[in-house]
Amino acid sequence: MILEKLSLINYKNIQSAALDLSPKINCFIGQNGVGKTNVLDAIYYLSFCHSANNPNDSQVIRHGEAFLMIEGKYGDRSQEELLITCGIKRGQKKHFKKNKKEYKRLSEHIGLIPVVMVSPSDTLLIDGGSEERRRLMDMVISQYDRSYIEHLNRYNKALLQRNTMLRAEEEPNYDVMSLWEEQMAMSGEQIYQKRDAFVKEMVPIFQRFYETISGNREQVALNYVSHCQRGPLLEVIQRDRFKDRAVGYSLHGIHRDDLEISLAGHQMKREGSQGQHKTFVIALKLAQFDFLKRTNTQTTPLLLLDDIFDKLDAQRVEQIVSLVAGNEFGQIFITDTNRDHLDQILSASSHDYKIFYVENGNVEEKGK
């Protein structure tokens, strides 16, 4: 899938932009805070129906404005054009359309235009709580398996109902609670199986990317842990009902799953340097890209690289440049404050490219 044209009105600090894009490499250069990331975020929005870093739709509308519009014109190998539009009026629900026909459910759109985004906030995958790592699994799997979203929605609904009963002042009706627990167990085991299969397939790809970027100097590992590994999930959930009642929420289930991250056998969070953390994140995201590319979507994802070179030594930068400039990757969008890194990528690639300068929300294409 190729994003040929991107049009923005009142998206974050961008008042208006209409961009004709390169089918291969698109570089956005500018100082911090001028709007480079907002361009990439708008592309992300067109794929996931929400911002990568702000869940509140009203907050992505430009200050002082009543609405926003995002429009992307895409092409694929069959040369069929695809027009995706999103409109939001402040205080109202958003409208997402495919070729001018509005979606009944936004979940129907997820996976149509696969995207992998690498950004500075991804260090939360290491430093943050387990919900960050679960979100990563959910984001990737939902792009190629539509039933995954349905199971996740059913599980979360049942979890919410069970937690509400656990927090109630009066003693819960345990027959009713059993129904919600059965729903949690049924959907939860489906989610576990899909997460487990995904992690097992992705880990060797991730390790290969990490070793390439680090020059084979370090060994990293990912280990998926889940309460489903303790036995039938329904039994695990019901085993500590009274303890759950005491604390007021569900202590067991796939909502507690995690990915354990290690460097040379030690916790990455405690042992890794900033450069190693960033190498980990980039390798993990490139592995996601490779994974999505080979799934039944049969669509090369868009790759969004937001300020990825900071805190990396020259050798790691060179390895990343060599990777992303190759033929394995499709259309790429890169931001940086310094053109030197981008010139390295462009000089290492024979592909078409465009350069855009961003300043105070204005995006302007510059000559090569």
Side-chain angles (χ1 to χ4, degrees), residues 49-67:
C49 307
H50 63 79
S51 166
N53 47 40
N54 194 328
N56 191 330
D57 285 326
S58 66
Q59 292 180 9
V60 299
I61 302 175
R62 191 167 183 262
H63 292 310
E65 302 294 344
F67 73 98

Side-chain angles (χ1 to χ4, degrees), residues 110-128:
I110 307 301
L112 179 65
I113 308 165
V115 161
V116 173
M117 184 172 184
V118 187
S119 73
S121 64
D122 288 330
T123 55
L124 286 173
L125 290 169
I126 300 170
D127 302 328

Side-chain angles (χ1 to χ4, degrees), residues 164-179:
T164 299
M165 296 182 73
L166 290 171
R167 287 193 296 267
E169 291 186 8
E170 65 276 9
E171 193 66 16
N173 182 325
Y174 288 104
D175 289 335
V176 174
M177 183 178 287
S178 290
L179 297 176

